Amino acid sequence: MNVGFIGTGSMGTLLIEAFLASGALSPAEIAVSNRTYAKAQALADRYPGMRAEYTNAATACGSDILFLCVKPHEFIDVVEDIKPAIRPEQIVVSITSPVLVSHLEGELPCKIAKIIPSITNRVWSGVSLCIYGDSMEEKDKKRLESLFTHISEPLRIAEGYTRVVSDLSSCGPAFMAFLLQQFIDAAVEETGIPRSQAVKVASNMLLGTGLLLTEGRMTPEEIQQRVAVPGGITAKALQLLSRDTDGVFNALIRTTHDKYKEDLIKVTTAFYGEEVNGQ
């Protein structure tokens, strides 16, 4: 299998390295290109056998599956680059949420999918969100999901839920890490505990909590009930958190959705030359 990656930024590189580390792909199966060729070559130099191509069209031409790992505003230019090289049997995969399947289906004569990864895929964990175009047959979907099973749990979703599920799966690690950082900073400031010790304890706590939710099949509500003895220390602290965070995550979701709609309008304008309302 030949797999191409256009864009070797943060998420493109993360995907490549996760596929390689998990054994899903070998370097010889991968071709990469980037707006700056030296960056693609630097990545290929780290993995003998990987090919750095000078053009996006060259990456597209030799790929059975082609991942587009570029920013929303770069998509239309990349699509124009690769269009002459695309074949009907190829699968083109966008990893960018504001780029709709319909955007790519209207421009590229091939099979189209959108898969949203997460930084957690770096450690072969979390989910990857799978959205498929009309031309994708079941065998094509299973082919992609077989690849992503090495680094995640593939989850098929309706495209209309892309943003909110991405909030949970892809943005969520940053949100949880922010809250954990605040917890650690407060512990150090209030008690003088060495920061390295606080980070180690808190990080392992978060890992264990995740395992309780997944392997242990407990719900967030059940964990709180099991830890918080009525009238105890945890219960009193949870009352404080409930009061002070009321509405915070509603505002967070509204913020991410507003930004998504803004990006969607820009992408749609680039593809169609006119503004439309975001979905």
Side-chain angles (χ1 to χ4, degrees):
M1 178 166 59
N2 295 312
V3 182
F5 292 84
I6 295 178
T8 58
S10 178
M11 288 309 299
T13 298
L14 184 149
L15 274 180
I16 292 168
E17 293 181 338
F19 285 140
L20 290 172
S22 68
L25 296 172
S26 67
E29 294 177 289
I30 297 176
V32 297
S33 57
N34 193 74
R35 185 171 52 183
T36 303
Y37 173 74
K39 293 182 179 179
Q41 185 61 60
L43 181 62
D45 287 344
R46 300 207 322 256
Y47 301 100
M50 185 183 299
R51 305 180 311 283
E53 301 286 5
Y54 281 99
T55 67
N56 293 332
T59 300
C61 186
S63 300
D64 302 311
I65 299 172
L66 179 65
F67 287 92
L68 306 184
C69 310
V70 300
K71 294 180 175 64
H73 69 273
E74 297 173 345
F75 255 82
I76 189 63
D77 290 335
V78 169
V79 165
E80 291 301 322
D81 285 345
I82 67 175
K83 190 184 299 186
I86 291 296
R87 305 182 307 276
E89 69 273 14
Q90 288 177 295
I91 300 174
V92 170
V93 183
S94 163
I95 69 164
T96 306
S97 63
V99 177
L100 303 181
V101 167
S102 61
H103 288 149
L104 298 180
E105 285 183 323
E107 296 291 331
L108 297 175
C110 64
K111 301 175 181 183
I112 301 295
K114 179 160 69 175
I115 298 185
I116 310 298
S118 167
I119 192 173
T120 56
N121 300 162
R122 184 185 182 94
V123 289
W124 314 344
S125 185
V127 300
S128 48
L129 311 178
C130 305
I131 301 142
Y132 298 117
D134 293 338
S135 61
M136 288 285 290
E137 299 177 21
E138 187 61 26
K139 65 179 181 180
D140 302 315
K141 299 175 184 179
K142 289 182 176 178
R143 187 181 188 187
L144 276 179
E145 290 170 11
S146 176
L147 183 62
F148 274 87
T149 295
H150 286 82
I151 64 171
S152 65
E153 179 180 346
L155 176 67
R156 298 185 189 186
I157 66 167
E159 191 166 30
Y161 290 119
T162 299
R163 183 61 262 151
V164 69
V165 184
S166 295
D167 287 341
L168 295 168
S169 68
S170 300
C171 301
F175 300 152
M176 294 301 106
F178 175 83
L179 294 174
L180 194 68
Q181 177 193 339
Q182 300 298 304
F183 196 4
I184 291 167
D185 289 347
V188 172
E189 182 179 340
E190 295 292 332
T191 71
I193 184 175
R195 183 174 182 82
S196 59
Q197 189 174 34
V199 169
K200 184 174 182 179
V201 171
S203 298
N204 279 282
M205 173 277 297
L206 192 60
L207 172 62
T209 303
L211 289 172
L212 286 173
L213 292 164
T214 53
E215 303 299 322
R217 300 186 182 280
M218 296 180 71
T219 66
E221 293 81 3
E222 287 172 339
I223 292 176
Q224 292 173 69
Q225 291 167 4
R226 291 287 294 274
V227 176
V229 176
I233 292 172
T234 306
K236 190 166 185 64
L238 283 173
Q239 291 175 0
L240 171 71
L241 285 173
S242 179
R243 183 188 70 228
D244 288 356
T245 63
D246 184 37
V248 166
F249 286 96
N250 296 79
L252 181 149
I253 289 174
R254 288 194 294 269
T255 297
T256 60
H257 277 59
D258 286 346
K259 174 58 176 169
Y260 171 77
K261 291 174 182 177
E262 177 184 316
D263 289 344
L264 178 56
I265 289 172
K266 291 178 180 177
V267 171
T268 302
T269 301
F271 272 89
Y272 301 138
E274 59 183 11
E275 291 195 6
V276 297
N277 292 326
Q279 72 173 37

